[in-house]
Amino acid sequence: MPTAATVAAGHGPDRPSGAAPAELLRRLRARSGGDADPVTHVERVPARPGEQTPWPLWAPEELRAAFARRGVVAPWRHQAEAADLAYAGTHVVVATGTASGKSLAYQLPALATLLADPRATVLYLAPTKALAADQLRAVAGLELDGVRPATYDGDTPRAEREWIRRHSRFVLTNPDMLHHGILPGHAHWSGFLRRLAYVIVDECHTYRGVFGSHVAHVLRRLRRQCARFGRTPVFLLASATSGDPATAAGRLTGLPVAAVTDDASPRGGVTFALWEPPLLPGPGQAPGAGQAPGVGGPAGGAGDLAPVRRSALRETADLLADAVAAGVRTLAFVRSRKGAEVVAATARRALDEAVPGLGERVAAYRAGYLREERRELERALLHGDLLGLASTNALELGVDLVGLDAVLICGWPGTRASLWQQAGRAGRSGDEALAVLVARDDPLDTYLVHHPEALFGRPVEATVLDPANPYVLAPQLACAAAEAPLTPADLDLFGDGAKEAVDSLVAAGALRQRPTGWYWRHRERPEVDLRGEGGAPVCVVEAATGRLLGTVDGGSAHFLVHAGAVHLHQGVSYVVDSLDLDDGCALVHPEEPDWSTHARDVTSLTVASVRSYVDAGPVGLFLGEVDVTSQVVSYQRRRISSGEVIDTRPLDLPARELRTVAVWFTLSPESLAAAGVEPADVPGALHAAEHAAIGLLPLMATCDRWDIGGLSTALHPDTEAPTVFVYDGHPGGAGFAERAYGTAAQWLRATRDAIAECGCEAGCPSCVQSPKCGNGNNPLSKPGALRVLDVVLANLPAPADPGAALPRQGDRRTG
Ligand SMILES: [Zn+2]
Ligand SMILES: [Zn+2]
């Protein structure tokens, strides 16, 4: 293996700024040494000059002057466009890149309105308190008379709350406070709500899945309270770049929303390389095609999931060392804190071997740094005292680092938006920079490094939520009824399924029907947690001190905090001593082992109803409700540095039931035989297709593969055919399966391509193996999976508009 010495020669570590991106990339490639070029694609993202427009005529002089003091002489075109729409009363979402100035787009119309109408008010919602605090600083810094911005959240002292309700005209809060505090106390807020002009929903792409579905109803409850005063506030949303933001924002608010997506802010040029670590020769390879590894069941030992490629962490560490040796200021993003430390330590060692002392110029970022320490880190990196930093993602970083020479991204960060946010830290004004995405052993990573068009073309993932989820809708309607009796008109506001949900609440004795509407029957308010789901949350408690570290939602507890699990909490690693399900409590102790844990479950499934289907001859595609019974039966321990499986340990946990939404496809046995899939290979072929399909779904919807489950079988009693199911892992569904159904042809095409393009012979974690398989990845047939998907794709109707592929709003429940 080449060391840093090969590139360190002749390059003094004191250069404040290193090699140009093309030159650096050439060196990194040259030292890689494998047979195959690790670089699968290089994209030049050109610099963009930026396009300003004059201030809108309606923007008052006082506000323009305030922005000018902050250095904004004129808005970018997209800012003005969004502001104009909102000022004219159109609900609007601005969905553009990081640092494109989205806040100006909503501040401009909102503050102009507050200045023009001395009674008007604005409500600002952020997903986190930290973001609300930043926004408060920004708005307060404009020093506008009579606006009196104030945050109102769980930390606001009681003594200040009444003053804020009465006098602040720009209230900053979060959806949880709106849900738990403001809406139930609407009587105290009537003065504010009856004058509400704008609702700003910042970072609205974070409202996805079950949480997003809850927030959607919290916003409908807010609209209902305003409507009681004849008020219809304008919604102004800001989103990271995402697919079809107008539809997502429409689902979130329940209103027609216009989208502004054409980013007119300037940016520096970036050379972006996609990097696939080389396959390792020899024993890592799985046995022959379609053959089971011969280790039955979940206790199958260390044979499965052996690493086949060089690990992304090792590769990132080498790239970091080489970049630092070349005097290039580089930031490496790694998913876990432990991973970041492995990358930093490995790079330090390689550098010290080359030039003693050079390793000191690489650091790992740790959570819990004080503000001054973060500022010092920033300073050291920007001045070149520090040349390399390995860190977890930017939000946790809390360091204001932009203008670096190179950014290394270890593994697909989950969304295109995060990718650009991380890559966006490279490049000073006028200077070119380098960004490298290093693929992990994962089907989606493999697909993306071979399909640059999915990264550099149009955005692919859409923010997915499903307000019609009955497990969300019913408790939200209970909250609404507790705030004010529900009327038939309200049912329209809450949308599809609201009548059924109200009927179920009446039947359960929670609501009473009277001629004037539906009334909440209890003295106490309903207890609904926006972020929890699937049972009571489990408390995570430090055994030695009794300190409550946090909670894990009931649905995930078996997976995340079983005995022996390594559990990360705010960047600190704990190991679970015991999980007591009766007490809803997991006892843990701080420990940082050099392995991670991966729970595995076994699943059975029955079909409850079919919501919609496509009859495609020998192939059927379905969307419907299913009952899933699953049991977490064991967990694997995997070495963090290499991904190697250490062992598999059994667990004794009860089975759980889940009513959720699934997408599934069936194939006739004849069509499989005609495609050359032997009957004995059918289970392995379907199983391999299922794993890869789950791995690729995050390409279509903003979900994690851990949000989704799957099941495949050569004969399912309900479908009476070979079937592959993919289901939402949340009670009632979160919109992922629905999205998969709506984009099935593209989704399964991408799945097929990812399998076909993986260079392994018999299947590996980059294509058809799954880290959460309950069957120890057995049986799996990579060639069989390709044939299965070919049959499905040959029969499935092509989408009408192959480019769009996004489900139209309101097309659910029509089948
Ligand atoms: Zn493979
Ligand atoms: Zn499996």
Side-chain angles (χ1 to χ4, degrees):
M1 185 191 65
T3 67
T6 52
V7 289
H11 292 275
D14 294 315
R15 294 179 51 172
S17 165
E23 169 59 14
L24 176 61
L25 185 59
R26 195 189 58 72
R27 284 188 210 167
L28 296 178
R29 245 166 151 161
R31 80 105 187 95
S32 150
D35 292 344
D37 186 350
V39 175
T40 56
H41 180 80
V42 178
E43 183 89 7
R44 248 290 278 140
V45 184
R48 184 178 55 201
E51 189 188 330
Q52 286 181 324
T53 55
W55 291 103
L57 292 175
W58 48 260
E61 184 48 43
E62 185 186 355
L63 188 54
R64 298 182 202 191
F67 282 124
R69 283 198 298 277
R70 211 202 266 167
V72 181
V73 287
W76 306 115
R77 184 173 32 73
H78 65 278
Q79 293 172 326
E81 209 177 300
D84 269 333
L85 283 165
Y87 198 76
T90 303
H91 309 294
V92 62
V93 56
V94 54
T96 50
T98 323
S100 60
K102 288 186 282 266
S103 53
L104 184 84
Y106 56 69
Q107 286 168 359
L108 186 55
L111 295 171
T113 300
L114 294 188
L115 293 176
D117 173 358
R119 289 177 47 76
T121 60
V122 170
L123 185 66
Y124 167 93
L125 296 171
T128 65
K129 286 179 191 169
L131 186 62
D134 284 352
Q135 188 61 212
L136 174 68
R137 262 195 298 280
V139 175
L142 292 171
E143 297 181 335
L144 299 169
D145 272 345
V147 172
R148 298 182 291 271
T151 46
Y152 190 92
D153 60 29
D155 299 338
T156 308
R158 295 255 159 226
E160 289 174 23
R161 293 190 173 190
E162 187 176 343
W163 185 92
I164 292 170
R165 285 194 296 260
R166 281 170 180 267
H167 300 293
S168 173
R169 297 171 60 218
F170 195 110
V171 171
L172 303 100
T173 188
N174 52 62
D176 306 82
M177 192 63 183
L178 184 57
H179 164 67
H180 288 294
I182 296 175
L183 288 168
H186 59 84
H188 299 296
W189 285 89
S190 59
F192 183 88
L193 295 176
R194 72 169 74 237
R195 295 177 287 134
L196 187 58
Y198 290 100
V199 179
I200 298 167
V201 186
D202 208 353
E203 304 283 331
C204 68
H205 58 280
T206 58
Y207 304 128
R208 63 175 193 92
V210 173
F211 175 51
S213 306
H214 271 292
V215 173
H217 290 297
V218 172
L219 295 181
R220 282 159 179 76
R221 283 159 52 200
L222 173 66
R223 287 174 51 207
R224 190 169 79 116
Q225 289 302 330
C226 293
R228 294 173 70 208
F229 304 114
R231 200 74 204 175
T232 51
V234 173
F235 280 76
L236 252 164
L237 304 98
S239 166
T241 313
S242 71
D244 201 8
T247 298
R251 278 198 167 190
L252 186 64
T253 57
L255 294 162
V257 178
V260 173
T261 55
D262 197 6
D263 193 337
S265 64
R267 70 170 175 219
V270 176
T271 296
F272 209 129
L274 305 183
W275 189 286
E276 184 174 47
L279 285 166
L280 294 172
Q285 285 284 17
Q291 295 302 303
V295 280
D304 53 354
L305 287 187
V308 178
R309 288 187 185 279
R310 202 141 182 275
S311 92
L313 284 176
R314 278 306 293 270
E315 201 78 345
T316 304
D318 282 359
L319 294 174
L320 179 61
D322 289 348
V324 166
V328 173
R329 292 169 319 138
T330 305
L331 179 58
F333 285 109
V334 187
R335 278 199 153 187
S336 70
R337 177 190 168 192
K338 187 72 192 172
E341 285 178 356
V342 167
V343 165
T346 310
R348 264 199 300 267
R349 217 175 305 123
L351 286 165
D352 275 335
E353 275 171 23
V355 181
L358 191 52
E360 282 175 20
R361 304 183 68 179
V362 174
Y365 177 78
R366 282 180 207 80
Y369 273 169
L370 300 174
R371 192 179 167 81
E372 303 82 70
E373 293 171 317
R374 296 202 300 263
R375 292 295 95 87
E376 172 55 25
L377 214 63
E378 260 168 51
R379 195 205 56 75
L381 198 55
L382 291 177
H383 284 75
D385 303 338
L386 199 59
L387 281 171
L389 185 67
S391 167
T392 52
N393 75 46
L395 287 174
E396 191 183 316
L397 190 58
V399 178
D400 186 17
L401 277 178
V402 287
L404 294 157
D405 301 318
V407 166
L408 307 171
I409 300 165
C410 179
W412 170 240
T415 62
R416 200 170 166 277
S418 327
L419 183 79
W420 288 111
Q421 189 181 38
Q422 296 181 359
R425 294 187 180 262
R428 279 171 296 182
S429 58
D431 272 356
E432 293 283 317
L434 178 69
V436 181
L437 170 64
V438 181
R440 276 174 310 161
D441 261 1
D442 181 275
L444 186 52
D445 285 42
T446 305
Y447 178 83
L448 290 169
V449 294
H450 289 283
H451 289 266
E453 76 280 2
L455 293 175
F456 302 108
R458 61 193 294 285
V460 283
E461 74 256 331
T463 305
V464 164
L465 59 148
D466 182 11
N469 177 339
Y471 292 81
V472 173
L473 189 48
Q476 285 290 335
L477 282 165
C479 293
E483 283 152 19
L486 289 165
T487 64
D490 290 333
L491 299 187
D492 291 340
L493 174 69
F494 288 94
D496 277 350
K499 182 65 172 67
E500 291 86 338
V502 164
D503 290 345
S504 73
L505 289 167
V506 171
L511 297 185
R512 172 176 291 139
Q513 186 163 12
R514 292 198 184 136
T516 48
W518 291 274
Y519 287 71
W520 177 245
R521 294 182 60 157
H522 305 286
R523 184 180 290 274
E524 306 80 32
R525 286 180 25 78
E527 267 189 41
V528 178
D529 182 354
L530 302 187
R531 295 166 197 262
E533 72 219 24
V538 168
C539 298
V540 181
V541 175
E542 192 175 42
T545 61
R547 190 164 65 100
L548 175 67
L549 298 174
T551 60
V552 171
D553 70 67
S556 318
H558 292 208
F559 266 105
L560 299 179
V561 291
H562 58 78
V566 176
H567 180 69
L568 288 173
H569 176 73
Q570 293 187 347
V572 181
S573 172
Y574 295 87
V575 172
V576 179
D577 301 314
S578 63
L579 169 61
D580 185 330
L581 291 168
D582 294 332
D583 288 353
C585 173
L587 293 177
V588 304
H589 67 271
E591 185 186 335
E592 209 150 348
D594 69 348
W595 62 81
S596 55
T597 53
H598 304 263
R600 311 198 319 185
D601 67 349
V602 291
T603 298
S604 65
L605 179 155
T606 57
V607 174
S609 69
V610 172
R611 199 188 277 181
S612 178
Y613 68 94
V614 177
D615 181 351
V619 171
L621 177 71
F622 300 82
L623 178 71
E625 279 80 27
V626 295
D627 289 308
V628 178
T629 305
S630 66
Q631 186 171 20
V632 174
V633 291
S634 65
Y635 67 101
Q636 278 186 338
R637 298 192 303 158
R638 295 173 72 180
R639 189 89 56 207
I640 289 174
S641 52
S642 63
E644 166 207 356
V645 176
I646 302 168
D647 58 11
T648 301
R649 300 181 165 199
L651 288 169
D652 182 21
L653 288 163
R656 285 169 311 147
E657 313 276 338
L658 173 72
R659 164 64 68 92
T660 186
V661 179
V663 58
W664 65 95
F665 62 82
T666 59
L667 305 96
S668 71
E670 296 75 27
S671 68
L672 285 174
V677 185
E678 299 290 327
D681 274 348
V682 170
L686 296 171
H687 189 197
E690 171 217 321
H691 280 181
I694 291 173
L696 267 291
L697 188 52
L699 189 63
M700 302 294 159
T702 46
C703 55
D704 201 278
R705 82 185 281 159
W706 302 93
D707 286 332
I708 326 164
L711 179 90
S712 56
T713 167
L715 178 64
H716 192 275
D718 295 333
T719 65
E720 299 178 340
T723 310
V724 172
F725 292 92
V726 174
Y727 58 85
D728 282 4
H730 305 274
F736 305 130
E738 186 188 349
R739 171 81 183 163
Y741 180 78
T743 60
Q746 290 89 335
W747 168 44
L748 296 175
R749 167 72 55 200
T751 304
R752 192 221 173 268
D753 290 351
I755 299 173
E757 282 153 9
C758 186
C760 73
E761 249 173 58
C764 71
S766 301
C767 56
V768 299
Q769 294 185 356
S770 163
K772 57 179 283 202
C773 181
N775 290 320
N777 284 291
N778 174 29
L780 287 178
S781 166
K782 178 177 171 179
L786 286 173
R787 293 193 184 113
V788 162
L789 291 165
D790 282 339
V791 172
V792 174
L793 290 165
N795 289 285
L796 217 55
D801 174 5
L806 297 159
R808 295 162 304 282
Q809 199 182 0
D811 70 352
R812 52 176 295 126
R813 297 180 198 283
T814 50

